[in-house]
Amino acid sequence: MLSGKQILLIVAGGIAAYKTLDLARRLRERGACVRCVLTEAGARFVTPLSMAALTGEKVHQDLFSLTDEIEMGHIRLAREADLILVAPATADLMARMGAGMANDLATAVLLATRQPILLAPSMNTAMWEHPATQANVKLLKERGCRSVGPQAGDLACGESGAGRLADVQDILAAIETHFSSGPLSGLRALVTSGPTHEPIDPVRYIANRSSGKQGHAIAKALADAGAEVTLVSGPVSLADPSGLRTLHVETAEQMLAACLGALPADIAICAAAVADWKVKAPAKDKMKKAKGAAPPALELATNPDILAILSTLKKNRPRLVIGFAAETQKVSAFAQEKLKAKGADWILANDVSEGTGTFGGDSNQVHLITHGGVESWPRMSKAEIGAELAGRIAQALKPKASKGKKA
Ligand SMILES: Cc1cc2nc3c(=O)[nH]c(=O)nc-3n(C[C@H](O)[C@H](O)[C@H](O)COP(=O)(O)O)c2cc1C
């Protein structure tokens, strides 16, 4: 699966660095060629000798090594990799990447490269949850880095929480997905997910009950099928799916800006429950309840219609634009109207009335509305719906490649 792939493994100074010895071995078993850059701190945790023995390659450590710069300079290391994997990605290394520093071999390579970067962060929970680390991770993802993990669990420091290096198997799966020759490989997809929050004042907002489970499941299914996926997520309590890029937004306006910024894409799936209305002029300070005073009147304004905007773009319109219709009555009929009104190609309609468990649940029942008619799918898990949809998209966009394949 990874045969002939050139992977540059950057090992930074985290306690989980020892796991990268096994990772390097597993990558080679799968046919990859692994070159390793050890940071100065990384070399405190694993020896260059072990890494060289396991990769069968010289290990690179020094930005100013004369022999290295002649034989295999940092620019060559940066260019020749098909994928750069940073594992463990320490808080420190990600901070330096975010700041655009190039003060050692690892950061010089990471700044000089145009190749894809996969981060596998690992650190103590407090370090991971620190706003500085979270801001750096967000920034790096916005710049296109992908990430896998960290996982929650027992940490080497004796604490328990988020920050453990993703399992070697999960890192391998993320790499294989990256190089996947699945039915959607070579295609770019944009998926929106979750609700939007429209501020009333700094502490209150208008929201809805969307959990993001369906949108996230679709994004993951498309990535598993080989697509390069950007997930634009409203506020949800779900972890970012591995193997794809997640952008976090709050409002409909921000979601639209993130979607337009993620184009061009071959596929756009608008699964987010975007608020139709926002408060026209949100209060700058918290609105106070005055004794005896009438409740404030909220003047609403219409939010941008992201599905309609993407469907009718003059430039960069995705080849396939798919919307969701969340209805509580006449589900198929309303969805058929929506398909025409928005200019979308397909609509997935689902019933979100009370008792269906659609919002927040793990299963869903959808109707696929196309210009050819309505097809009702049986109740399935949200992950199964994602996989089924990925298969349909492959049939529509890559008919030859997906011939005979079921989702
Ligand atoms: C015993 C020990 C364990 C450490 N483990 C981690 C870790 O798991 N994650 C992390 O981000 N930093 C960890 N650090 C701190 C980093 O080693 C330190 O920030 C270092 O400057 C990272 O350099 P690098 O990013 O160039 O590899 C650890 C330090 C020590 C002494």
Side-chain angles (χ1 to χ4, degrees), residues 11-16 39-42 45 89-93 96 104 122-124 127:
V11 179
I15 195 76
T39 66
E40 195 183 332
F45 294 89
T90 54
D92 174 81
L93 187 57
R96 286 187 289 134
D104 66 359
S122 169
M123 65 204 68
N124 156 277
M127 287 172 85

PDB file of all heavy atoms in Angstrom, residues 11-16 39-42 45 89-93 96 104 122-124 127, ligand 1:
ATOM      1  N   VAL A  11      11.095  13.268  14.365  1.00  0.00           N
ATOM      2  CA  VAL A  11      10.855  12.825  15.741  1.00  0.00           C
ATOM      3  C   VAL A  11      11.305  13.931  16.689  1.00  0.00           C
ATOM      4  O   VAL A  11      12.489  14.283  16.737  1.00  0.00           O
ATOM      5  CB  VAL A  11      11.618  11.511  16.041  1.00  0.00           C
ATOM      6  CG1 VAL A  11      11.383  11.075  17.491  1.00  0.00           C
ATOM      7  CG2 VAL A  11      11.179  10.411  15.078  1.00  0.00           C
ATOM      8  N   ALA A  12      10.336  14.508  17.410  1.00  0.00           N
ATOM      9  CA  ALA A  12      10.642  15.587  18.352  1.00  0.00           C
ATOM     10  C   ALA A  12      10.757  15.018  19.766  1.00  0.00           C
ATOM     11  O   ALA A  12      10.541  13.815  19.989  1.00  0.00           O
ATOM     12  CB  ALA A  12       9.575  16.672  18.249  1.00  0.00           C
ATOM     13  N   GLY A  13      11.065  15.917  20.713  1.00  0.00           N
ATOM     14  CA  GLY A  13      11.432  15.459  22.054  1.00  0.00           C
ATOM     15  C   GLY A  13      10.281  15.235  22.992  1.00  0.00           C
ATOM     16  O   GLY A  13      10.099  15.953  23.977  1.00  0.00           O
ATOM     17  N   GLY A  14       9.501  14.217  22.730  1.00  0.00           N
ATOM     18  CA  GLY A  14       8.406  13.835  23.625  1.00  0.00           C
ATOM     19  C   GLY A  14       8.649  12.433  24.148  1.00  0.00           C
ATOM     20  O   GLY A  14       9.340  11.628  23.512  1.00  0.00           O
ATOM     21  N   ILE A  15       8.019  12.156  25.278  1.00  0.00           N
ATOM     22  CA  ILE A  15       8.223  10.861  25.929  1.00  0.00           C
ATOM     23  C   ILE A  15       7.759   9.703  25.022  1.00  0.00           C
ATOM     24  O   ILE A  15       8.266   8.588  25.107  1.00  0.00           O
ATOM     25  CB  ILE A  15       7.506  10.849  27.305  1.00  0.00           C
ATOM     26  CG1 ILE A  15       7.969   9.682  28.175  1.00  0.00           C
ATOM     27  CG2 ILE A  15       6.012  10.861  27.171  1.00  0.00           C
ATOM     28  CD1 ILE A  15       9.312   9.898  28.780  1.00  0.00           C
ATOM     29  N   ALA A  16       6.809  10.020  24.106  1.00  0.00           N
ATOM     30  CA  ALA A  16       6.281   8.959  23.229  1.00  0.00           C
ATOM     31  C   ALA A  16       7.189   8.676  22.030  1.00  0.00           C
ATOM     32  O   ALA A  16       6.859   7.848  21.185  1.00  0.00           O
ATOM     33  CB  ALA A  16       4.888   9.352  22.726  1.00  0.00           C
ATOM     34  N   THR A  39      15.090  15.793  16.284  1.00  0.00           N
ATOM     35  CA  THR A  39      15.440  17.084  16.902  1.00  0.00           C
ATOM     36  C   THR A  39      16.458  16.800  18.011  1.00  0.00           C
ATOM     37  O   THR A  39      16.648  15.644  18.425  1.00  0.00           O
ATOM     38  CB  THR A  39      14.205  17.781  17.519  1.00  0.00           C
ATOM     39  OG1 THR A  39      13.743  16.994  18.617  1.00  0.00           O
ATOM     40  CG2 THR A  39      13.096  17.971  16.500  1.00  0.00           C
ATOM     41  N   GLU A  40      17.046  17.879  18.496  1.00  0.00           N
ATOM     42  CA  GLU A  40      18.038  17.701  19.563  1.00  0.00           C
ATOM     43  C   GLU A  40      17.366  17.018  20.759  1.00  0.00           C
ATOM     44  O   GLU A  40      17.905  16.089  21.346  1.00  0.00           O
ATOM     45  CB  GLU A  40      18.579  19.079  19.955  1.00  0.00           C
ATOM     46  CG  GLU A  40      19.838  19.013  20.770  1.00  0.00           C
ATOM     47  CD  GLU A  40      20.300  20.402  21.210  1.00  0.00           C
ATOM     48  OE1 GLU A  40      20.002  21.396  20.501  1.00  0.00           O
ATOM     49  OE2 GLU A  40      20.940  20.472  22.265  1.00  0.00           O
ATOM     50  N   ALA A  41      16.143  17.488  21.084  1.00  0.00           N
ATOM     51  CA  ALA A  41      15.430  16.880  22.214  1.00  0.00           C
ATOM     52  C   ALA A  41      14.975  15.466  21.859  1.00  0.00           C
ATOM     53  O   ALA A  41      14.993  14.573  22.708  1.00  0.00           O
ATOM     54  CB  ALA A  41      14.236  17.745  22.597  1.00  0.00           C
ATOM     55  N   GLY A  42      14.599  15.253  20.593  1.00  0.00           N
ATOM     56  CA  GLY A  42      14.178  13.911  20.165  1.00  0.00           C
ATOM     57  C   GLY A  42      15.278  12.891  20.393  1.00  0.00           C
ATOM     58  O   GLY A  42      15.016  11.743  20.802  1.00  0.00           O
ATOM     59  N   PHE A  45      15.539  10.981  23.567  1.00  0.00           N
ATOM     60  CA  PHE A  45      14.555   9.917  23.838  1.00  0.00           C
ATOM     61  C   PHE A  45      14.790   8.678  22.985  1.00  0.00           C
ATOM     62  O   PHE A  45      14.525   7.566  23.430  1.00  0.00           O
ATOM     63  CB  PHE A  45      13.130  10.443  23.618  1.00  0.00           C
ATOM     64  CG  PHE A  45      12.721  11.492  24.591  1.00  0.00           C
ATOM     65  CD1 PHE A  45      12.964  12.830  24.353  1.00  0.00           C
ATOM     66  CD2 PHE A  45      12.105  11.149  25.792  1.00  0.00           C
ATOM     67  CE1 PHE A  45      12.600  13.807  25.257  1.00  0.00           C
ATOM     68  CE2 PHE A  45      11.732  12.124  26.717  1.00  0.00           C
ATOM     69  CZ  PHE A  45      11.985  13.464  26.450  1.00  0.00           C
ATOM     70  N   ALA A  89       4.598  15.156  17.732  1.00  0.00           N
ATOM     71  CA  ALA A  89       4.651  16.602  17.495  1.00  0.00           C
ATOM     72  C   ALA A  89       4.559  17.258  18.865  1.00  0.00           C
ATOM     73  O   ALA A  89       3.515  17.195  19.522  1.00  0.00           O
ATOM     74  CB  ALA A  89       3.500  17.029  16.603  1.00  0.00           C
ATOM     75  N   THR A  90       5.670  17.800  19.342  1.00  0.00           N
ATOM     76  CA  THR A  90       5.672  18.398  20.686  1.00  0.00           C
ATOM     77  C   THR A  90       5.008  19.777  20.642  1.00  0.00           C
ATOM     78  O   THR A  90       4.903  20.406  19.580  1.00  0.00           O
ATOM     79  CB  THR A  90       7.119  18.585  21.188  1.00  0.00           C
ATOM     80  OG1 THR A  90       7.843  19.330  20.211  1.00  0.00           O
ATOM     81  CG2 THR A  90       7.802  17.272  21.456  1.00  0.00           C
ATOM     82  N   ALA A  91       4.616  20.244  21.824  1.00  0.00           N
ATOM     83  CA  ALA A  91       4.036  21.595  21.933  1.00  0.00           C
ATOM     84  C   ALA A  91       5.037  22.609  21.397  1.00  0.00           C
ATOM     85  O   ALA A  91       4.677  23.543  20.661  1.00  0.00           O
ATOM     86  CB  ALA A  91       3.712  21.880  23.404  1.00  0.00           C
ATOM     87  N   ASP A  92       6.289  22.392  21.753  1.00  0.00           N
ATOM     88  CA  ASP A  92       7.356  23.323  21.356  1.00  0.00           C
ATOM     89  C   ASP A  92       7.534  23.359  19.845  1.00  0.00           C
ATOM     90  O   ASP A  92       7.593  24.427  19.234  1.00  0.00           O
ATOM     91  CB  ASP A  92       8.646  22.843  22.051  1.00  0.00           C
ATOM     92  CG  ASP A  92       9.871  23.623  21.629  1.00  0.00           C
ATOM     93  OD1 ASP A  92      10.073  24.704  22.165  1.00  0.00           O
ATOM     94  OD2 ASP A  92      10.601  23.131  20.746  1.00  0.00           O
ATOM     95  N   LEU A  93       7.571  22.198  19.221  1.00  0.00           N
ATOM     96  CA  LEU A  93       7.805  22.160  17.768  1.00  0.00           C
ATOM     97  C   LEU A  93       6.623  22.788  17.029  1.00  0.00           C
ATOM     98  O   LEU A  93       6.809  23.535  16.065  1.00  0.00           O
ATOM     99  CB  LEU A  93       8.031  20.712  17.308  1.00  0.00           C
ATOM    100  CG  LEU A  93       8.438  20.557  15.851  1.00  0.00           C
ATOM    101  CD1 LEU A  93       9.689  21.350  15.542  1.00  0.00           C
ATOM    102  CD2 LEU A  93       8.671  19.098  15.495  1.00  0.00           C
ATOM    103  N   ARG A  96       6.872  26.488  17.250  1.00  0.00           N
ATOM    104  CA  ARG A  96       7.880  27.040  16.335  1.00  0.00           C
ATOM    105  C   ARG A  96       7.386  26.972  14.886  1.00  0.00           C
ATOM    106  O   ARG A  96       7.626  27.874  14.097  1.00  0.00           O
ATOM    107  CB  ARG A  96       9.213  26.306  16.520  1.00  0.00           C
ATOM    108  CG  ARG A  96       9.888  26.744  17.837  1.00  0.00           C
ATOM    109  CD  ARG A  96      11.273  26.185  18.010  1.00  0.00           C
ATOM    110  NE  ARG A  96      11.279  24.764  18.272  1.00  0.00           N
ATOM    111  CZ  ARG A  96      12.077  23.892  17.669  1.00  0.00           C
ATOM    112  NH1 ARG A  96      12.929  24.302  16.750  1.00  0.00           N
ATOM    113  NH2 ARG A  96      12.028  22.614  17.984  1.00  0.00           N
ATOM    114  N   ASP A 104      16.266  25.028  13.567  1.00  0.00           N
ATOM    115  CA  ASP A 104      16.954  23.733  13.618  1.00  0.00           C
ATOM    116  C   ASP A 104      16.568  22.970  12.351  1.00  0.00           C
ATOM    117  O   ASP A 104      15.792  23.480  11.524  1.00  0.00           O
ATOM    118  CB  ASP A 104      16.632  22.941  14.906  1.00  0.00           C
ATOM    119  CG  ASP A 104      15.166  22.508  15.012  1.00  0.00           C
ATOM    120  OD1 ASP A 104      14.375  22.837  14.095  1.00  0.00           O
ATOM    121  OD2 ASP A 104      14.806  21.838  16.001  1.00  0.00           O
ATOM    122  N   SER A 122       1.601  14.850  20.865  1.00  0.00           N
ATOM    123  CA  SER A 122       1.642  14.052  22.089  1.00  0.00           C
ATOM    124  C   SER A 122       2.256  14.897  23.187  1.00  0.00           C
ATOM    125  O   SER A 122       3.334  15.463  22.999  1.00  0.00           O
ATOM    126  CB  SER A 122       2.480  12.796  21.859  1.00  0.00           C
ATOM    127  OG  SER A 122       2.741  12.159  23.092  1.00  0.00           O
ATOM    128  N   MET A 123       1.565  14.981  24.284  1.00  0.00           N
ATOM    129  CA  MET A 123       2.088  15.748  25.425  1.00  0.00           C
ATOM    130  C   MET A 123       1.173  15.553  26.626  1.00  0.00           C
ATOM    131  O   MET A 123       0.093  14.962  26.508  1.00  0.00           O
ATOM    132  CB  MET A 123       2.189  17.238  25.068  1.00  0.00           C
ATOM    133  CG  MET A 123       0.880  17.922  24.808  1.00  0.00           C
ATOM    134  SD  MET A 123       1.035  19.376  23.763  1.00  0.00           S
ATOM    135  CE  MET A 123       1.488  18.704  22.187  1.00  0.00           C
ATOM    136  N   ASN A 124       1.584  16.103  27.739  1.00  0.00           N
ATOM    137  CA  ASN A 124       0.789  16.107  28.966  1.00  0.00           C
ATOM    138  C   ASN A 124      -0.530  16.879  28.712  1.00  0.00           C
ATOM    139  O   ASN A 124      -0.548  17.811  27.915  1.00  0.00           O
ATOM    140  CB  ASN A 124       1.682  16.774  30.029  1.00  0.00           C
ATOM    141  CG  ASN A 124       0.919  17.378  31.160  1.00  0.00           C
ATOM    142  OD1 ASN A 124       0.436  18.487  31.048  1.00  0.00           O
ATOM    143  ND2 ASN A 124       0.823  16.628  32.219  1.00  0.00           N
ATOM    144  N   MET A 127      -0.546  20.648  28.916  1.00  0.00           N
ATOM    145  CA  MET A 127       0.150  21.269  27.770  1.00  0.00           C
ATOM    146  C   MET A 127      -0.754  21.264  26.542  1.00  0.00           C
ATOM    147  O   MET A 127      -0.833  22.217  25.791  1.00  0.00           O
ATOM    148  CB  MET A 127       1.446  20.498  27.441  1.00  0.00           C
ATOM    149  CG  MET A 127       2.564  20.697  28.432  1.00  0.00           C
ATOM    150  SD  MET A 127       3.942  19.572  28.084  1.00  0.00           S
ATOM    151  CE  MET A 127       4.868  20.481  26.857  1.00  0.00           C
TER     152      MET A 127
HETATM  153  C1  LIG B   1      11.144  13.719  30.324  1.00  0.00           C
HETATM  154  C2  LIG B   1      10.547  14.727  29.386  1.00  0.00           C
HETATM  155  C3  LIG B   1       9.437  14.385  28.666  1.00  0.00           C
HETATM  156  C4  LIG B   1       8.863  15.296  27.784  1.00  0.00           C
HETATM  157  N1  LIG B   1       7.754  14.926  27.099  1.00  0.00           N
HETATM  158  C5  LIG B   1       7.161  15.821  26.255  1.00  0.00           C
HETATM  159  C6  LIG B   1       6.019  15.458  25.538  1.00  0.00           C
HETATM  160  O1  LIG B   1       5.519  14.313  25.603  1.00  0.00           O
HETATM  161  N2  LIG B   1       5.452  16.368  24.712  1.00  0.00           N
HETATM  162  C7  LIG B   1       5.966  17.630  24.594  1.00  0.00           C
HETATM  163  O2  LIG B   1       5.381  18.419  23.860  1.00  0.00           O
HETATM  164  N3  LIG B   1       7.075  17.999  25.261  1.00  0.00           N
HETATM  165  C8  LIG B   1       7.683  17.139  26.081  1.00  0.00           C
HETATM  166  N4  LIG B   1       8.816  17.503  26.769  1.00  0.00           N
HETATM  167  C9  LIG B   1       9.378  18.847  26.578  1.00  0.00           C
HETATM  168  C10 LIG B   1      10.182  18.904  25.268  1.00  0.00           C
HETATM  169  O3  LIG B   1      11.196  17.916  25.290  1.00  0.00           O
HETATM  170  C11 LIG B   1      10.805  20.304  25.120  1.00  0.00           C
HETATM  171  O4  LIG B   1       9.754  21.255  24.940  1.00  0.00           O
HETATM  172  C12 LIG B   1      11.754  20.374  23.975  1.00  0.00           C
HETATM  173  O5  LIG B   1      12.230  21.707  23.862  1.00  0.00           O
HETATM  174  C13 LIG B   1      11.112  19.955  22.658  1.00  0.00           C
HETATM  175  O6  LIG B   1      12.025  20.163  21.614  1.00  0.00           O
HETATM  176  P1  LIG B   1      11.644  19.748  20.113  1.00  0.00           P
HETATM  177  O7  LIG B   1      10.263  20.216  19.898  1.00  0.00           O
HETATM  178  O8  LIG B   1      12.656  20.471  19.284  1.00  0.00           O
HETATM  179  O9  LIG B   1      11.825  18.299  20.004  1.00  0.00           O
HETATM  180  C14 LIG B   1       9.432  16.593  27.632  1.00  0.00           C
HETATM  181  C15 LIG B   1      10.580  16.928  28.349  1.00  0.00           C
HETATM  182  C16 LIG B   1      11.129  15.994  29.221  1.00  0.00           C
HETATM  183  C17 LIG B   1      12.362  16.377  29.981  1.00  0.00           C
END
